[in-house]
Amino acid sequence: MAEVEITRLHTVADAGGELLGSAVQPPVSSSPFSLKLAGWALGPQGPPRGIRIVAAEPLGEGRTLRRVITTTAPNAPRPDVAERFPDLKGARACGFVTSCSLVGLPREFNLRVEARFEGAPRVAIARIEGRRPPLRSGYQPRFQPILLKTLGRAGSTWMTQVVGAHPQAVAYRPFDFEPRLLDYWLEIVRVLSQPHAYAQTIDPDVRERAWWEGRARWHGPLSLASEPAVERWVETESIEELAAFAQMRVDAFYGKVAESQEKPAATRFIERVHEWHEEILAHELYERARTIFLVRDMRDLLASRLAFNRKTGEPMFGYDRADSPEHYVHGWMRGEVDEWMESWRQAKDPFLVRYEDLMLRPEDTLREVFAHAELDSSADAVAATLDLARARRPERQARHMTSAGDAGSIGRWRDDLSPELQEACREAFGEALAALGYEAG
């Protein structure tokens, strides 16, 4: 099996005076799914309070998406460092040894090792770039996923309803529930494939109630190098087997759904994809996975969200985190849109569907959707599927709607949003709107 390849290791010596010194040794890998890291860091006030490994992805305009992979505290004595800094109290306790999982990271990953000191911001002490092989389970699933990558109030429920009406695909009661079978099981794979998690099976630290996750583990990484066969099973084969089990559970559920819907020819299921690592893992474990990037004019999206919140009386879609509508646009909502745009731009199959096309020219749009998803896309299949989806529209759909009909939901922002909100949208989403083919208005 291919192993991890480290292509670049850049260490930081003083970080503009924020460090007295630091070092990170070249990462070691005994598995294609993890790295072992060791090093030290020392600030003017002493050793760090914590060390964390962060995955960093550029978003453009000088912005970076940062995701914490693992954290630890100094857990390895460094007498050599204490000799270099004999007058600094605690210098001996500045070392760390840890492991981080690569499962769910991009195949070409970019990691930062950061140190946190008392009363000071975090400092990057190393940058690590590398490549990893894909996670394969060996299991041959019956159902391949159609991943719907979208934003709230962009028509995902209707898209799920229509695709799920196709005889070769299944969806489970989209107007009643939003199943996350794939997300659920892939999250279990991701969490339990963390080195700190599987180390708990052999060398447990049980101070926390959810001890099996290993989140509070400070023992350091598990070392089984003296028994290579055991090490390989724990760090590699058991993760592949866990991934296979997850796929079996997804297959079992959608097999029952297909049976209840009398669809013996079904080979696809559709679900929304929520987390960044879910997208990565799904495409590794399901070689015929397909993603639909469903988007809507962000100004109409905002108008619909505000109307839905008024209708339900609940601050949904992250609105409870904002002090004002303008703050919401520039903060939470812009973050959502930026992440969606980055997923679309980096996707290997960036198949884009605009909400407006789905509403105004459904036959042509669905023909393209079905073809992309490897479903029967003939005119007869499209017409029959659309008729069935429309016939199954339950009364519950009324609670999802905030406008008068499909056409009335398009361009509503001109009437629904104040001039101040329209200007905020132009500032926050202007680049995304242009890239997606929407007029500035």
Side-chain angles (χ1 to χ4, degrees), residues 85-351:
F85 301 94
D87 299 327
L88 188 62
K89 184 178 179 180
R92 182 184 179 88
C94 69
F96 65 89
V97 180
T98 190
S99 292
C100 72
S101 174
L102 302 177
V103 173
L105 294 186
R107 294 279 304 283
E108 295 192 2
F109 56 85
N110 187 327
L111 303 177
R112 294 186 184 184
V113 184
E114 298 179 347
R116 177 176 60 85
F117 296 94
E118 186 72 37
R122 297 185 186 276
V123 182
I125 62 174
R127 294 178 177 84
I128 302 167
E129 297 176 10
R131 303 185 186 92
R132 66 168 183 86
L135 172 59
R136 305 291 193 207
S137 71
Y139 177 71
Q140 297 299 318
R142 169 186 170 183
F143 294 95
Q144 293 283 328
I146 301 170
L147 306 171
L148 189 57
K149 180 68 174 179
T150 187
L151 300 167
R153 304 300 300 171
S156 60
T157 305
W158 177 237
M159 174 66 86
T160 303
Q161 171 87 345
V162 176
V163 174
H166 195 287
Q168 295 172 322
V170 290
Y172 188 64
R173 298 170 60 181
F175 283 104
D176 295 314
F177 306 113
E178 188 180 318
R180 297 178 65 165
L181 265 290
L182 186 62
D183 194 3
Y184 178 90
W185 285 107
L186 292 186
E187 179 67 2
I188 288 175
V189 171
R190 188 186 70 85
V191 170
L192 296 186
S193 64
Q194 301 284 331
H196 285 184
Y198 58 69
Q200 295 289 80
T201 64
I202 297 172
D203 179 27
D205 177 347
V206 295
R207 291 175 296 167
E208 297 291 324
R209 293 191 65 182
W211 60 271
W212 54 86
E213 295 182 1
R215 295 183 187 275
R217 179 184 175 85
W218 303 115
H219 287 184
L222 190 65
S223 177
L224 301 173
S226 62
E227 298 176 278
V230 175
E231 180 181 58
R232 178 174 177 79
W233 187 88
V234 170
E235 297 187 356
T236 301
E237 294 171 5
S238 68
I239 294 173
E240 295 167 337
E241 291 171 10
L242 177 62
F245 179 76
Q247 290 178 287
M248 291 177 193
R249 294 298 83 207
V250 175
D251 258 9
F253 176 78
Y254 282 112
K256 290 298 182 183
V257 173
E259 182 181 335
S260 70
Q261 295 179 0
E262 299 181 349
K263 290 185 174 182
T267 58
R268 292 276 183 181
F269 68 92
I270 180 169
E271 285 189 10
R272 279 191 62 178
V273 60
H274 297 81
E275 305 294 340
W276 60 279
H277 48 261
E278 181 192 355
E279 298 175 59
I280 293 171
L281 274 175
H283 279 279
E284 289 184 22
L285 291 173
Y286 294 89
E287 296 187 64
R288 290 173 49 228
R290 294 292 181 269
T291 303
I292 297 171
F293 288 88
L294 178 63
V295 71
R296 183 181 185 182
D297 186 318
M298 291 83 183
R299 296 160 295 190
D300 282 339
L301 202 68
L302 175 63
S304 180
R305 288 182 174 188
L306 295 177
F308 192 80
N309 286 353
R310 289 193 297 269
K311 182 176 181 178
T312 61
E314 298 180 20
M316 301 177 68
F317 310 106
Y319 197 74
D320 57 330
R321 295 173 171 85
D323 299 327
S324 67
E326 290 80 9
H327 181 234
Y328 176 67
V329 168
H330 284 289
W332 179 269
M333 192 170 172
R334 179 171 181 179
E336 282 187 288
V337 171
D338 284 349
E339 186 168 358
W340 186 94
M341 291 292 293
E342 186 65 16
S343 293
W344 174 55
R345 285 171 171 150
Q346 292 191 0
K348 294 181 179 179
D349 61 339
F351 181 78

Side-chain angles (χ1 to χ4, degrees), residues 365-377:
T365 303
L366 290 174
R367 187 177 300 113
E368 295 170 358
V369 168
F370 294 163
H372 173 70
E374 298 178 333
L375 302 174
D376 183 355
S377 59

Side-chain angles (χ1 to χ4, degrees), residues 10-23 41-44 113-115 117 120-127:
H10 173 72
T11 57
V12 179
D14 57 18
E18 295 177 304
L19 291 170
L20 290 181
S22 69
L42 202 57
V113 184
E114 298 179 347
F117 296 94
R122 297 185 186 276
V123 182
I125 62 174
R127 294 178 177 84

